[in-house]
Amino acid sequence: MSHVSAADRRPQLIAAAIDLMGREGVAAGSTRAIASELGVAQATVHYTFGAKADLYRAVLEHLAEGMVARVHAEASRNSATLEEAFRAVGDALWRQLCEQPERHLLMYELVIFALRHPELREVADRFHRDIQEAASVIVADAAQRAGQIPAVPAAELARFILAGFDGLSLELLVRGGRPEADMERSMEQLVAATAALAGAGNLPLSAGG
């Protein structure tokens, strides 16, 4: 078998870990099992990532980056006002959840698993901070494009909509990943509440920016 660099092996192992843990849960994601999933030696996992915490961090980062990139693209493409940006963000989050509920379940499992293990606690902390910061950037960029100043700081708006989405996503997972009309209405209400909290449309930027 030809040699594969650690840089090339890294995304392969992340994908293998996501596939394995998405099917069988985080507890099944030992370095031995992940190596077997890809068909490589267990030592390859340790060589590529070092500690198990680094592998879990990489998996969470990969899942989060994919989600954030899609939401950012939707918000950039489909919003001329701040309220439209919140709707685009909400629509993108909801579609991702409905299309890939197993990935959201895996994110929940990884975070809870990390919180239960002191050596992995930093992984959960880092993931939570990264998601909050990325969401804040999306909100701030949307406000800038719309030429509006939110009545509430971008970080607080991001926290508000993410907290609401977490609750709805957990409910959808409990219901077996099947979206229903009442949940879709709740998502629309969350978007409307976020826009109202922001005072969207009420505080235009001055001519001087």
Side-chain angles (χ1 to χ4, degrees):
M1 182 180 294
S2 60
H3 173 73
V4 178
S5 69
D8 290 333
R9 187 66 80 190
R10 182 180 178 87
Q12 296 174 353
L13 287 168
I14 291 172
I18 290 173
D19 288 344
L20 174 65
M21 292 190 288
R23 291 194 316 268
E24 302 180 23
V26 173
S30 66
T31 55
R32 183 184 300 277
I34 292 168
S36 178
E37 179 82 6
L38 188 60
V40 299
Q42 185 178 6
T44 300
V45 181
H46 293 292
Y47 174 76
T48 304
F49 288 100
K52 187 176 182 179
D54 296 323
L55 172 59
Y56 279 22
R57 180 184 299 106
V59 169
L60 273 173
E61 287 175 350
H62 179 82
L63 293 171
E65 286 168 3
M67 181 174 69
V68 168
R70 180 170 173 178
V71 171
H72 205 166
E74 290 287 329
S76 300
R77 183 169 59 249
N78 297 319
S79 56
T81 67
L82 190 52
E83 185 169 2
E84 288 174 354
F86 288 130
R87 185 161 301 283
V89 167
D91 288 347
L93 286 170
W94 187 249
R95 283 200 304 275
Q96 284 190 83
L97 174 61
C98 295
E99 291 168 7
Q100 296 182 309
E102 71 284 349
R103 291 213 165 192
H104 285 266
L105 178 58
L106 178 55
M107 282 193 284
Y108 277 126
E109 286 186 294
L110 282 167
V111 170
I112 297 301
F113 185 86
L115 292 174
R116 289 284 189 182
H117 295 77
E119 71 277 13
L120 295 173
R121 180 63 186 253
E122 183 271 334
V123 175
D125 290 343
R126 171 79 177 275
F127 170 76
H128 187 70
R129 288 197 306 271
D130 286 351
I131 288 290
Q132 291 281 0
E133 289 172 6
S136 297
V137 169
I138 290 171
V139 172
D141 286 351
Q144 183 65 36
R145 286 194 308 275
Q148 295 171 284
I149 300 175
V152 175
E156 293 181 20
L157 292 169
R159 185 180 301 113
F160 182 82
I161 197 168
L162 285 175
F165 177 72
D166 277 346
L168 287 172
S169 60
L170 183 58
E171 182 177 356
L172 184 138
L173 292 171
V174 170
R175 293 189 187 187
R178 296 181 299 275
E180 299 177 18
D182 63 327
M183 296 186 65
E184 292 176 355
R185 286 196 302 273
S186 293
M187 190 69 206
E188 292 172 0
Q189 290 162 356
L190 173 62
V191 170
T194 308
L197 182 63
N202 295 328
L203 295 171
L205 289 170
S206 65

